[in-house]
Structures are given as structure tokens and as C-alpha cells.
């Protein structure tokens, strides 16, 4: 776990942005210290994890509580993250993003249940009731997941060979605060929303997470691994930070 900036002794309270590794997963959280607190409290909501603790509480105590509650924190974070998906207008004639481009969504009536199908710059969705927005959305999301699964697997295989690493599994994520994650067991999670963005950003996230299989931190050595497969990572990192997951 990495610490934030030093606290001022005379401040009645202080807020820091922190990072930690819980059960092999990198997370960020907000740490609030207050003279009024006598115990450490954890709260997870749509803004992520917030930890409240006494002003002079020790780092050892803080780390102990976080590690003890690691599984609970990760479960709650995933629950909140899954609720938040990018809102799109799933109506006939609207545009939906895919790999940095815009596809025209065409909704047609059909008595047969068929998967969504892309033809050029058009995504065709067949449903029994064109006015059933939830059904249309389910079809589109199923298509997104299928495309993401195939694409992410291919990009991971490509960069894993370059970095000489062997991820244990690749999973899709609905995380709200992370584009990707990699735990010590070798499971790589990539956010489904990435399939909407240009391939260069997808590749950066893939390289970033695979690099953790060699350096489970964000040290200088870690960024050297990233740079070996993605030389312009700093530019791509800035570009991705400017994109909202909301």
C-alpha cells in the first residue's frame, strides 16, 4: 500500500487519495482522518471506497483493517461498478460507438430471435417489438460482449508473447472506476466499455495489466516494462484519463 502526502499536525481533519493492493487487486480509495473518530470505518458507494480513521491512527492499523476486509471491499466495489454502464440511446437510427468509430443502429422487427449483426458501419438488431428498448439494449450489449471477448483475447495473446508473460484467465469487467485490473493469480480483467474506444487505447490497457505480471506495482521498473511494448504509453495514458467511465 502506498501512502499519500504527509498530514499537518494542526489540521483537525485531512483527506488523501491512496492506492492499495487488496487480495491481489489494485484499488484506489479516499482516506479521511478526523480527530472525532475513534475507529476505522469503510464505506463503498458510487464514488468508490472511502476509509475514515482517527487523525493519529497508525499505518499498521489501517493496513490491517483493509486486508481483513479485502474481500468485502472488492465485492462491494464490483457491485457498484456493475450498476454503472455507459448510457446509450438504443433507438433505430441512433449511433453507437465501436472501436473509436460510430455504427448506425438499425432495429428491425422479426419473429425469430437472432443475434445482432454488423454489416459495414451498420449494426442490425432484430426484435419482436421495435419499441422494446430494453430488449434492443440486451441485444446490443450481447454483441458488445461477444466482440470484446474475441478482440481482448487476441490483443492479450499478442502482447503476452511480447512481454513473455502467461495470464491465467481473461475476464470482462463492468468496473466503474477501472479500465482494467490484474491480480497476483494472473487473472486479467478488461472493462467492457473499452470495446467502444480506438484500438490504441485498448492495447495500452492490455499492456498495462500484463506488465503487472512482471511488476505487481507502479514502480519505475513497471513503467519500463510497459514502455517496452507500448513506447507512447504516456500519451495514451493521458488520453484515457480524459475519458469518463460514466
Amino acid at each position: 500500500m502506498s501512502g499519500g502526502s504527509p498530514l499537518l499536525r494542526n489540521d483537525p481533519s485531512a483527506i488523501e487519495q491512496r492506492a492499495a493492493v487488496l487480495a491481489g487487486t489494485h484499488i484506489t480509495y479516499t482516506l479521511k482522518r478526523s480527530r472525532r473518530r475513534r475507529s476505522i470505518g469503510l464505506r463503498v458507494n458510487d464514488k468508490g471506497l472511502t476509509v475514515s480513521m482517527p487523525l493519529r491512527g497508525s499505518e499498521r492499523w489501517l493496513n490491517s483493517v483493509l486486508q481483513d476486509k479485502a474481500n468485502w471491499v472488492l465485492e462491494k466495489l464490483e457491485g457498484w461498478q456493475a450498476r454503472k454502464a455507459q448510457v446509450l440511446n438504443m433507438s433505430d437510427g441512433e449511433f453507437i460507438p465501436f472501436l473509436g468509430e460510430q455504427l448506425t443502429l438499425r432495429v428491425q422487427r422479426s419473429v425469430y430471435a437472432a443475434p445482432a449483426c454488423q454489416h459495414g458501419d451498420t449494426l442490425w438488431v432484430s426484435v419482436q417489438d421495435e419499441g422494446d428498448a430494453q430488449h434492443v439494449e440486451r441485444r446490443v450489449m450481447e454483441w458488445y460482449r461477444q466482440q470484446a471477448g474475441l478482440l481482448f483475447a487476441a490483443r492479450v495473446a499478442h502482447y503476452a508473447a511480447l512481454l513473455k508473460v502467461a495470464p491465467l484467465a481473461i475476464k470482462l469487467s463492468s468496473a466503474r472506476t477501472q479500465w482494467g485490473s490484474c491480480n497476483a493469480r494472473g487473472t486479467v480483467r478488461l472493462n467492457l466499455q473499452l470495446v467502444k474506444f480506438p484500438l490504441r487505447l485498448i492495447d495500452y490497457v492490455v499492456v498495462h495489466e500484463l506488465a503487472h505480471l512482471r511488476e505487481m506495482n507502479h514502480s519505475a521498473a513497471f513503467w519500463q516494462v510497459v514502455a517496452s511494448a507500448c513506447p507512447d504509453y504516456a500519451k495514451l495514458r493521458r488520453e484515457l484519463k480524459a475519458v469518463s467511465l460514466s
Side-chain angles (χ1 to χ4, degrees):
M1 181 173 64
S2 61
S5 58
L7 295 167
L8 297 176
R9 290 182 178 274
N10 295 328
D11 282 356
S13 62
I15 299 177
E16 302 176 67
Q17 296 302 312
R18 292 279 191 110
V21 178
L22 302 184
T25 299
H26 288 266
I27 70 160
T28 58
Y29 68 95
T30 300
L31 175 64
K32 295 183 178 181
R33 293 182 183 261
S34 173
R35 295 185 186 278
R36 293 174 295 178
R37 288 205 64 93
R38 295 293 180 267
S39 61
I40 294 179
L42 308 180
R43 183 177 77 252
V44 178
N45 57 22
D46 61 327
K47 295 180 178 60
L49 170 64
T50 299
V51 180
S52 300
M53 68 179 296
L55 184 62
R56 291 182 175 79
S58 69
E59 292 291 323
R60 179 179 295 181
W61 183 24
L62 171 60
N63 186 59
S64 175
V65 172
L66 286 174
Q67 297 305 322
D68 183 57
K69 299 294 186 180
N71 291 331
W72 178 87
V73 169
L74 294 177
E75 180 182 349
K76 294 298 182 182
L77 284 174
E78 187 65 25
W80 274 101
Q81 291 162 356
R83 300 180 196 184
K84 189 87 174 188
Q86 189 170 15
V87 178
L88 297 174
N89 189 341
M90 302 287 187
S91 302
D92 182 65
E94 294 292 335
F95 295 104
I96 62 172
F98 180 62
L99 295 181
E101 304 292 338
Q102 295 290 324
L103 299 181
T104 302
L105 178 62
R106 299 312 308 266
V107 181
Q108 60 184 357
R109 185 177 182 182
S110 175
V111 295
Y112 302 103
C117 183
Q118 180 186 0
H119 292 288
D121 60 358
T122 302
L123 182 67
W124 290 90
V125 175
S126 299
V127 292
Q128 293 182 344
D129 179 3
E130 303 100 312
D132 188 344
Q134 290 185 343
H135 194 182
V136 174
E137 182 177 5
R138 283 197 300 271
R139 290 289 189 214
V140 173
M141 295 309 298
E142 288 168 0
W143 181 79
Y144 270 140
R145 291 187 186 94
Q146 179 189 45
Q147 300 303 309
L150 295 171
L151 177 63
F152 294 173
R155 303 317 290 169
V156 167
H158 174 74
Y159 285 106
L162 289 178
L163 295 175
K164 295 181 173 57
V165 296
L168 178 66
I170 307 164
K171 297 184 178 182
L172 294 181
S173 164
S174 299
R176 176 184 175 274
T177 59
Q178 292 180 311
W179 292 111
S181 66
C182 177
N183 63 31
R185 295 184 296 275
T187 298
V188 174
R189 288 181 170 81
L190 298 170
N191 199 302
L192 174 62
Q193 302 295 330
L194 283 169
V195 79
K196 301 173 182 178
F197 302 127
L199 188 60
R200 64 182 181 275
L201 296 182
I202 297 173
D203 283 352
Y204 162 67
V205 175
V206 168
V207 170
H208 183 116
E209 300 312 329
L210 290 177
H212 280 307
L213 294 178
R214 289 176 54 180
E215 296 286 341
M216 191 58 73
N217 50 55
H218 287 102
S219 64
F222 166 81
W223 291 112
Q224 288 177 356
V225 174
V226 173
S228 70
C230 187
D232 57 346
Y233 76 87
K235 175 184 176 182
L236 297 174
R237 188 183 183 203
R238 289 193 298 269
E239 186 176 348
L240 194 60
K241 280 188 173 182
V243 179
S244 174
L245 259 173
S246 60

